[in-house]
Amino acid sequence: RQTANFVIPSFARQIAEIEAGRQKPVLMVGDLSARRDFSDVRDIVRGYRLLAEKGIPGEAYQLCSGKAVAINDVLRILLSLSHADIEVRVDKSRLRKADIPILRGSFAKASRAVNFSGKIPLRKTLQDTLEYWRELTATQT
């Protein structure tokens, strides 16, 4: 339920708008080569609960997937979940002057402390996010 200012909801919202006929079949993107560590919020909330119950107070833990996924791969999966024929176009205004090419975390400490690891596959997260935006788009007038 992130706002469309973030990459996954931005793509999902645009796809939903295109499918609903509210946007031309052109999806505007920024840099697709960046790699990010994506986690499903349901996994993170489960991790917070485990840490609240069993973690050591005052210790810092990182909850993440531990995998760096190219934004292009995220887009490819989302497009495969759509029935629309969508053109992808780079919007120069979406390109950042300074961007970190790869962001990836490590959940090793959380795994040792409370047996944390992500359970929800990225494809499921993307499918659920797209479905959310489809439902939201259908209710808007």
Side-chain angles (χ1 to χ4, degrees), residues 72-82 122-123 126:
N72 190 52
D73 291 339
V74 168
L75 177 59
R76 183 184 45 77
I77 294 168
L78 281 166
L79 290 172
S80 77
L81 296 170
S82 174
L122 179 59
R123 184 176 181 87
L126 297 175

Side-chain angles (χ1 to χ4, degrees), residues 47 50-51 53-55 61 63 109-116:
L50 286 169
L51 289 168
E53 292 172 351
K54 301 175 186 175
Y61 299 93
L63 301 177
K109 184 176 178 181
S111 177
R112 287 190 304 271
V114 296
N115 201 27
F116 172 82

Side-chain angles (χ1 to χ4, degrees), residues 104-141:
R104 182 184 69 227
S106 170
F107 62 90
K109 184 176 178 181
S111 177
R112 287 190 304 271
V114 296
N115 201 27
F116 172 82
S117 67
K119 305 287 185 213
I120 300 170
L122 179 59
R123 184 176 181 87
K124 173 71 172 150
T125 300
L126 297 175
Q127 186 173 15
D128 290 350
T129 302
L130 180 55
E131 191 55 38
Y132 166 77
W133 283 98
R134 285 173 172 152
E135 290 171 11
L136 190 63
T137 299
T139 63
Q140 296 173 341
T141 55

Side-chain angles (χ1 to χ4, degrees), residues 1 6 14 18 27 34-35 45-46 48 52 55 61 63 66 69 86 93 98 103 105 112 116-117 119 121 134 139:
R1 306 294 192 273
F6 293 90
Q14 289 183 77
I18 290 166
L27 194 142
R35 299 174 68 86
V45 169
R46 183 176 46 77
Y48 286 160
Y61 299 93
L63 301 177
V69 179
I86 299 172
S93 72
L103 284 176
R112 287 190 304 271
F116 172 82
S117 67
K119 305 287 185 213
R134 285 173 172 152
T139 63

